[in-house]
Every structure is written in C-alpha cells, then in structure tokens.
Amino acid sequence: MIITIDGPAAAGKGTLAASLAKEFNLAYFDTGMVYRAVGLEMLLNGYELTDNEKAEKFAEQLTFPRMMELSKNPEFRSLNGSRAASAVAAMPKVRQALLEMQQNFSHNPVFADGSKADGAIYDGRDTGTVICPHADIKFFITASPEVRAMRRFKEYQEKGQDVDYKEVLEQTIARDKNDFARAGSQPAADAIHFDTSDLSISEVFEQVCKIIVEKQKTLEK
Ligand code: DC
C-alpha cells in the first residue's frame, strides 16, 4: 500500500506520517529531505542559492546514503537550511533530477535498517500528484500560516535556536508562495483534506487511521 501526505510546510505532515508508518508497519519517505540535502550542499560549498546549475549538479549526484549523512548536520533543519531547501525546490530541473530517486522507493520500499517493507508512506509536497499519482490513499494536511509558524517557532526553540516568531511567520508565508507557485504543487484531485488548525495531532491521527483501515479492507477483497 502506498499512502501520500501532501500539504504546506509545518502543517503536521511529518509527525502524522511517521506515526502512521509505525502504526501500519510501512516504510517512511520524508521527501523534503531530498531538497534539504541539495540546499545544504549549496550552503556547505558556499554557492549562491540562485545558482541553478550548481543545484542541479548536486541533485543529479545525490544518493540516499549522502542524504542520510547530510541529515545529521544541525543546519539540515535550521531556518537557513529551510530557506535553502525552499529555494532549490523551486528549480524545475532540480525537481526533475530528484524524481526518479523518490519514485524508485515506491517500487522497493525499505525500512531505515534496509529491510523490505510492504508499502510506504510518502510525506511532502507533490507526492500525491507527481511522485506517486497512483497512490492508494492521498491526504492533504493543512493549517493556517499562523498556526504553522507557531509550531515551527516552538520546534526551533526546543532545539535551542534563537529565532523570532515574526521572522518564522514571514518565512512560512514566503515559503508557501514559493512552494505553491510551481506546477504540481496543488492538492491531488482525489486527496482527502484535513485542516489541523483546530485539531490535535492525535485527533487527526485517529481519523486518518480509520480511513486507512477501511481502505485496507477494500484492497484485501
Ligand atoms: O517538508 P520540509 O519542510 O522538510 O520541506 C523542505 C522544502 O522542500 C520545503 O520548502 C518544501 C519543499 N518540498 C517540496 O517542494 N516537495 C516535496 N515533495 C517536499 C518538500
């Protein structure tokens, strides 16, 4: 079974996807990591985030092990890292270069330890439209920019990063513009929508689980 979870930054996709992967014993692919990896390569090598050619090269060369290695860098999920990821994610050739790697995972999903899985949960923008248009279930998770910015702000604070809420809100709005300006970034027509502004993660989790269990029954028939 392939499940995709799309939606804007900080909508709660990651937490939900990771919990679902555990609950249904599925492999988990956080697709934002591919853009974070390319963005971080640009930062580490001192290239301008407007240098499309360099970003394309890093995207073409990216491997799973390299992505995992980069993910250990504290900048990977920092405000700077997020900005870099959003910039490279807006480059069509970078997206194209990273497409195959993301799609291959659905044909051969594996857990973090490399063992084979029966299916995968994809988390990220365009997973239900471009990466896995044939997914069995597609969710679109959203929340207001203010709620999402507050969640990110708290995450940064917990990591001891000194950031300003206003700056995080501005970045959330800027990233929405950047991320949604591209083709393929709209929700899939057959996606099930959830607005998490007024729902707790556990409430969303429960509702989503019910939908998946129902779907599993129809797939088993
Ligand atoms: O989900 P995240 O914050 O880790 O994503 C990092 C950036 O990559 C963010 O700007 C959105 C972008 N992204 C994307 O364009 N397509 C995806 N499938 C996943 C993430």
Side-chain angles (χ1 to χ4, degrees):
M1 177 156 65
I2 302 293
I3 300 172
T4 60
I5 305 190
D6 288 16
K13 304 187 296 289
T15 317
L16 179 65
S19 320
L20 290 174
K22 217 167 165 192
E23 179 77 16
F24 293 95
N25 202 28
L26 297 168
Y28 171 39
F29 194 157
D30 169 5
T31 60
M33 286 177 74
V34 298
Y35 302 102
R36 287 183 181 274
V38 173
L40 186 55
E41 292 277 30
M42 297 290 280
L43 296 181
L44 294 176
N45 289 280
Y47 294 119
E48 293 289 332
L49 293 173
T50 46
D51 191 337
N52 290 40
E53 270 178 35
K54 285 287 178 312
E56 277 164 52
K57 216 163 208 85
F58 284 125
E60 281 161 13
Q61 290 167 353
L62 187 69
T63 60
F64 232 91
R66 176 68 182 149
M67 181 175 87
M68 296 316 287
E69 192 186 328
L70 287 163
S71 72
K72 292 177 194 140
N73 188 309
E75 285 293 346
F76 195 75
R77 294 197 182 272
S78 70
L79 201 57
N80 254 343
S82 301
R83 200 174 284 134
S86 184
V88 299
M91 300 174 186
K93 286 190 180 162
V94 165
R95 301 192 74 81
Q96 188 57 39
L98 295 167
L99 185 60
E100 202 177 304
M101 174 182 169
Q102 296 178 81
Q103 287 182 327
N104 283 346
F105 192 83
S106 73
H107 306 306
N108 186 20
V110 286
F111 292 109
D113 66 1
S115 61
K116 217 175 146 1
D118 289 334
I121 305 245
Y122 274 77
D123 152 14
R125 199 72 43 77
D126 83 358
T127 52
T129 48
V130 180
I131 299 168
C132 296
H134 305 299
D136 298 294
I137 317 179
K138 302 172 185 179
F139 293 104
F140 191 83
I141 308 293
T142 190
S144 70
E146 290 75 15
V147 168
R148 289 186 284 121
M150 185 49 77
R151 288 179 188 159
R152 268 284 142 90
F153 174 67
K154 284 184 181 158
E155 275 172 31
Y156 290 132
Q157 274 192 324
E158 277 162 22
K159 284 184 204 151
Q161 293 177 16
D162 184 24
V163 288
D164 176 42
Y165 169 73
K166 237 183 98 202
E167 196 188 339
V168 179
L169 178 60
E170 277 164 16
Q171 201 200 51
T172 303
I173 294 166
R175 279 178 65 187
D176 279 357
K177 260 200 196 143
N178 209 14
D179 295 341
F180 276 99
R182 297 180 270 99
S185 63
Q186 300 306 317
D190 51 350
I192 303 163
H193 290 237
F194 275 96
D195 187 325
T196 69
S197 304
D198 301 315
L199 287 175
S200 69
I201 286 295
S202 58
E203 285 171 319
V204 181
F205 178 72
E206 260 176 47
Q207 294 185 26
V208 166
C209 281
K210 277 189 196 148
I211 295 171
I212 298 175
V213 168
E214 284 310 308
K215 183 71 187 183
Q216 271 180 327
K217 286 183 197 158
T218 65
L219 291 176
E220 280 161 12
K221 272 182 195 164

